Every structure is written in structure tokens, then in C-alpha cells.
Amino acid sequence: MANERLGSKGLFNKHEFVRIIIQSLYSLGYTKSAACLESESNISCKSLEFELLESQINDANWDDCIGSITKLKGLSDETRASALFLVFEQCVLECLSRGDNSLALEILRKQISRLQVNKEKVHKLAVGLVSLKELGLSKLDYEIIQDLRSRLLIELGKLLPPPITLPERRLEHLVEMASTAQIENCMYHTSNMTSLYEDHHCNRDDFPTETIQILTNHKNEVWFVQFSNSGEYLASSSCDCTAIIWKVLENCEIAQKHTLKGHQNAVSFVAWSPDDSMLLTCGNMEVLKLWDVETGKCKHTYGGDGFIVSSCAWFPDSKRLVCGSSDPEKGIFMWDCEGNEIKAWKGARMPKVTDLAVTSDGENLIGIFSEKEIHILNVRTNSERVIKEENSITSLSVSADSQFFIVNLNSQEIHMWDVAGKWRKPQKYKGHRQQKYVIRSCFGGLNSMLIASGSEDSKVYIWNGRSPYPIEVLSGHLKTVNCVSWNPSRPQMLASASDDQTIRIWGPNSFKQM
């Protein structure tokens, strides 16, 4: 049985397969079933090598334990040294607990100091032992020693490689990898559910390809639209100087909740607070306003004294916000919800800001400066990375997992970059039309690998992130589509805003029958 293969292609070993099942049963709490399977199959979840180490550690046979680790095959020098350090560390602690300080010092000087491990770890251990001795805490009772030995075994289990030990929850990891691979190969992935009973596949019939509702409440061009983080609301802004908060009903219909009035010019941008309790609106060449979503009342107005706001974004705590100005001397300001300034990036050398966003983890502030430069500022470390594009950038959007962002260019391309800077070149997406207008795109789908964008040819374009060419082109609007937004909790729902003064809600054909 040791070399018996399973699967139609014989790719994996039966012994390993059963051993991983046993581990999974133990991790799920089915200890009796796991023990029964071990007995019936004559396969142990633990290897013979690890069982020997466990016995030696529990019996405090330290010399034998060190000899066993020294003889283990397949270990790198670094791993072997780290394993021996853990064992010697336990030896020293137990020597101190018996009052054998001289032996503890000898192990520290002669054994641990020889190991090829980080010298800081050795120094930290030495300082810790002196502190224990000075505080009179060197006497450890039996239960504490047994607990420390159990922790040592856990650490060795994490450190030693297969087949000596198994990585934690190995079966769950393998199943998750297989499911993820199927999802990534699914061109139309919008399903909330995946099943282990059958191979994953999303059908085009479940994809937003049909207009299910047209919203006509705005009286002029609609420039921006965005679903809230929970997907329960939608916000839109228009050249009619208003913004509207909409409610997404259970039957997937959209109903007007509040009309927000107060701007003197066209409203070009909105941003939901992460907790969906507040909404920011930017007036075109005007101020920034903060609104209460429940009441529809304006809570605060930012940006007086000629501060022209071009874009805004929230930090994940829903207590801090940032806004950028197209006036180079104004730069970027961070405020709280009461209007108190927290921080500012400004000065004569500060370029004008055309768009900005904050990653959902709050780590990075991403801004479009001087039309062709992307600046990624780490708020915590103040480190900065600059990406230069050859053509003017009109807008940006960040993925929900904070790993990627896309920028729209007036060269009729969308570029996707990774936030961490691993890519030297962007992924490129083509097909839509964009030259004169500010077109805004968005990420969508459950794995953030669907990208949607408006277009000057009155259409909505949708790409799967792995392909540069659109998988769907949605027709219905009569003029330029300025902005699109994917519902984060209902990935089969998409909204688009257009110069034809309408907002279209897109969904599968099945939505029209509800």
C-alpha cells in the first residue's frame, strides 16, 4: 500500500491521501473517527520520526532528541539549526527550573552559540534567562513544563517539512486551491456559492447582460454612480447639481431614498464611508460635503476659502477622510468627520491631484498627480512609489482586496497595476472608446477579476482580468457612459451612469422575470 497510487491518472499516493484525511478528521474534532481510521488503515497521522521526537521530548531525553534531529534526512541546514535551537531553549529552561544554572549556562555558551541562527534570537534568550533568574521565576511547576513541551512539539510540527510533519489543515488547503483554480478559469464568475459536489462553472445566463431598470430621476447628465460597501444602497451624482441616495430592495429593484441638494455646481464624485452611514459628495470645481445617509441631511462642508476638491476617499475606520485638489498649492488634506484637519500634503512643489483612493486596509493612499503620474504613498511608513504613464490618466479604482488598481487613459486603454509593485508593466485592456471624457471603471465579481467600464460610444464594456479583450459589450444608453459600479454583495448587478440623463441597472435575464 505504501506505493499504491490513486486517481484516474495515478497522480497521488494512497498512503499520503489517507494520512491527510486522518489529519483533517482530527482538525475537525472527529477524534474517534480519526483514531478508528488510523487503526483500520494502519497509518498514523504522525510519522515515525515525529512520534519518536514526541516520546523523547515528553520523557526529557534531550540527548536522544538532539541526536534524532541531527540524523533527520531532508532538512536544510537552516531548518535543522532552528529545530535544535528550539530544543536547546527548552533544555535551558528546564535546567533553570531545577536550579542547575551552570548546566543552563554551558548549553547556552557551548551548544546554542554554535548554531547558525539569528544572533538576536540567542541574545534575546540570554537576556530572558537572566531576567527570569533575577525575578526569582526560574522555578517552574510540572504543569508549566508539560505545557512548554507541548508548545515545543507544536513549533517543531510547523518547522519540520513533509513527510516528517504535515502542513496544518492540508486537505482544506488542497480543496481550496482546486476550487480557486476553477473560479479563476471561470470567465463569468459572479456566483456567491461554490459546491464540492460538482465542478464550478458560472453560466452567462447568470451574468449582468440585460437592462432590468432605468432610473430617470436626474434632470441632466449623470456623471457618477457607486454602490455602497454593503450593496444595500446606490449613490449617483449629476450635472443637475444634486446627488441621489437610492435603496436596493429585496426584489433587486432600486428606489429613491434622498435627493441631496446644496451644491451650486455639478456634482462630479461621491464616496461611501466604509460603514455606509455617511456619503461624501464633490462639487465640480467646488466644495466637499458630508451627508448622513439615514436622514439625508448635510453634516459638514469642507474646503472653504477657494479650496477646489477634485476627488475624495475614506479610511477604513469611517472616521478619517482625504480629499485632493486640482489646485497644486492646496494638495491633499486628511480630515475627521467634524472638519478637523489631521494631516496635509501641500506646498509649491505639490502637483495637482486629479483623482485619489485609499486601499481598504488603510495602508496606502493612491493618487493621480499631474495627469500622467501615479503616486502610491504608504501612510504608515511615508514611503512612496511613482508610476509614470505615457498618456493622460482620467480616473482610478482600487480592488476590494487592496492588491490591484486600474486607471483609465485617454488613449482608449485601461491599465491594471499591482499595489505592491511586483509588476513592472501593467495588464492592458482594450476595446472601449475614451478620448475627451472622464470615464470611470470598476472592479467586480467575487474575486475582483472582472472589470467594467463606460465608454464614449454609449456602451458598457466588461473584461475578465486575464484577457485584454472584452467578454461582454452592453448596449442601451444613448450617449457617453461616464461611470459604472458593481454591487459588492450582489455580483450579478451592475449600474451605469450616462450623459443621456439615466442610470441603467444591469442584471441577468432572470432578474427581469422577478
Side-chain angles (χ1 to χ4, degrees):
M1 179 178 176
N3 296 316
E4 188 176 347
R5 314 297 291 182
L6 295 179
S8 59
K9 298 181 181 180
L11 294 178
F12 54 93
N13 181 286
K14 183 177 180 179
H15 185 279
E16 293 180 1
F17 185 67
V18 174
R19 187 180 170 195
I20 287 172
I21 292 175
I22 294 170
Q23 182 206 43
S24 180
L25 289 171
Y26 275 123
S27 67
L28 292 171
Y30 303 128
T31 54
K32 291 181 180 179
S33 298
C36 182
L37 181 54
E38 283 183 308
S39 175
E40 184 176 354
S41 64
N42 200 29
I43 297 173
S44 174
C45 179
K46 299 174 183 176
S47 66
L48 293 176
E49 296 92 338
F50 196 79
E51 284 185 337
L52 178 60
L53 286 175
E54 185 176 44
S55 174
Q56 291 166 342
I57 289 171
N58 287 329
D59 293 339
N61 293 329
W62 302 117
D63 290 339
D64 291 342
C65 180
I66 291 165
S68 296
I69 293 175
T70 304
K71 295 176 184 177
L72 283 176
K73 297 179 180 179
L75 298 188
S76 66
D77 291 342
E78 182 181 355
T79 300
R80 195 183 309 277
S82 297
L84 288 172
F85 177 83
L86 291 173
V87 173
F88 281 131
E89 183 180 37
Q90 181 71 23
C91 288
V92 170
L93 285 171
E94 295 199 16
C95 285
L96 284 177
S97 72
R98 298 193 304 267
D100 198 342
N101 298 338
S102 58
L103 180 57
L105 185 60
E106 182 181 352
I107 294 172
L108 183 62
R109 286 177 174 174
K110 294 185 178 180
Q111 301 289 349
I112 297 180
S113 60
R114 295 177 185 174
L115 297 175
Q116 298 297 316
V117 294
N118 191 316
K119 296 304 179 184
E120 287 187 11
K121 292 173 67 175
V122 178
H123 179 71
K124 185 177 180 181
L125 174 61
V127 171
L129 294 177
V130 171
S131 299
L132 283 174
K133 185 178 179 182
E134 289 177 348
L135 294 172
L137 300 177
S138 57
K139 297 294 184 180
L140 302 177
D141 61 30
Y142 176 79
E143 290 185 1
I144 293 178
I145 288 177
Q146 291 302 116
D147 183 58
L148 289 172
R149 290 176 183 175
S150 297
R151 292 185 185 183
L152 169 60
L153 286 166
I154 292 172
E155 291 303 313
L156 287 173
K158 294 177 181 178
L159 180 64
L160 298 175
I164 301 170
T165 60
L166 295 177
E168 290 185 6
R169 299 183 178 275
R170 181 60 179 167
L171 182 58
E172 292 175 39
H173 173 69
L174 291 172
V175 172
E176 189 172 60
M177 282 201 307
S179 298
T180 300
Q182 291 185 20
I183 289 171
E184 289 179 349
N185 289 322
C186 180
M187 296 296 287
Y188 291 96
H189 181 60
T190 56
S191 172
N192 282 313
M193 301 296 293
T194 57
S195 173
L196 298 180
Y197 294 142
E198 57 187 4
D199 290 345
H200 175 79
H201 177 69
C202 289
N203 195 298
R204 184 179 179 273
D205 294 339
D206 297 322
F207 202 71
T209 56
E210 302 286 338
T211 298
I212 59 173
Q213 191 176 0
I214 302 175
L215 308 177
T216 60
N217 302 44
H218 281 294
K219 305 306 177 185
N220 209 323
E221 297 171 354
V222 188
W223 286 1
F224 198 89
V225 65
Q226 188 178 72
F227 280 104
S228 66
N229 300 284
S230 66
E232 296 181 5
Y233 298 99
L234 177 71
S236 59
S237 65
S238 169
C239 195
D240 65 8
C241 304
T242 71
I244 296 178
I245 296 176
W246 311 81
K247 175 68 175 174
V248 181
L249 305 179
E250 288 297 322
N251 62 0
C252 294
E253 287 189 6
I254 309 293
Q256 183 173 346
K257 181 177 176 68
H258 297 297
T259 298
L260 311 180
K261 299 179 180 180
H263 286 283
Q264 302 303 310
N265 297 304
V267 184
S268 57
F269 192 87
V270 304
W272 289 95
S273 64
D275 62 6
D276 288 352
S277 67
M278 293 169 285
L279 184 74
L280 290 170
T281 59
C282 292
N284 187 35
M285 305 299 288
E286 203 192 332
V287 296
L288 175 70
K289 288 183 177 291
L290 176 65
W291 305 83
D292 181 273
V293 172
E294 186 60 34
T295 64
K297 302 297 183 181
C298 183
K299 299 181 65 174
H300 195 83
T301 298
Y302 302 82
D305 300 325
F307 188 88
I308 300 171
V309 180
S310 60
S311 57
C312 56
W314 288 88
F315 279 86
D317 57 9
S318 293
K319 296 178 180 178
R320 296 170 296 155
L321 56 101
V322 289
C323 69
S325 175
S326 56
D327 183 345
E329 294 185 3
K330 301 297 183 181
I332 299 174
F333 278 80
M334 182 191 298
W335 283 309
D336 64 18
C337 295
E338 283 71 46
N340 300 307
E341 181 184 319
I342 301 173
K343 193 173 183 179
W345 296 266
K346 60 181 179 179
R349 299 180 61 185
M350 183 74 182
K352 71 175 183 179
V353 181
T354 58
D355 201 2
L356 55 78
V358 176
T359 53
S360 60
D361 56 13
E363 281 282 304
N364 295 290
L365 175 64
I366 306 176
I368 306 302
F369 293 173
S370 300
E371 295 185 348
K372 294 184 180 181
E373 288 186 356
I374 306 163
H375 288 235
I376 304 175
L377 173 66
N378 187 293
V379 179
R380 180 173 48 84
T381 65
N382 284 324
S383 61
E384 188 173 11
R385 181 164 66 96
V386 178
I387 300 171
K388 295 185 178 182
E389 291 277 13
E390 294 182 359
N391 297 283
S392 293
I393 307 167
T394 64
S395 64
L396 73 90
S397 178
V398 181
S399 64
D401 60 9
S402 301
Q403 294 187 37
F404 308 101
F405 65 92
I406 49 178
V407 292
N408 279 61
L409 308 174
N410 64 3
S411 60
Q412 305 191 40
E413 284 188 348
I414 295 171
H415 290 180
M416 180 165 69
W417 296 88
D418 71 306
V419 174
K422 297 177 182 178
W423 298 352
R424 294 184 178 180
K425 295 182 179 180
Q427 304 269 18
K428 299 180 179 181
Y429 306 96
K430 305 176 180 181
H432 74 311
R433 300 289 179 265
Q434 178 178 359
Q435 289 181 311
K436 297 180 292 183
Y437 285 75
V438 175
I439 305 294
R440 294 186 178 275
S441 303
C442 71
F443 285 96
L446 298 177
N447 57 351
S448 292
M449 286 312 293
L450 293 174
I451 297 170
S453 179
S455 175
E456 289 183 21
D457 62 5
S458 309
K459 295 179 174 62
V460 175
Y461 287 75
I462 302 175
W463 295 263
N464 184 292
R466 297 187 306 277
S467 173
Y469 302 104
I471 59 174
E472 292 292 341
V473 180
L474 311 182
S475 299
H477 283 293
L478 303 179
K479 294 184 179 180
T480 295
V481 180
N482 299 306
C483 184
V484 293
S485 179
W486 221 298
N487 190 316
S489 63
R490 306 186 192 199
Q492 297 170 322
M493 179 182 287
L494 182 73
S496 58
S498 171
D499 279 355
D500 66 10
Q501 303 185 23
T502 70
I503 299 165
R504 283 183 177 253
I505 307 300
W506 306 84
N509 187 56
S510 58
F511 276 25
K512 297 173 69 176
Q513 304 168 8
M514 294 177 65

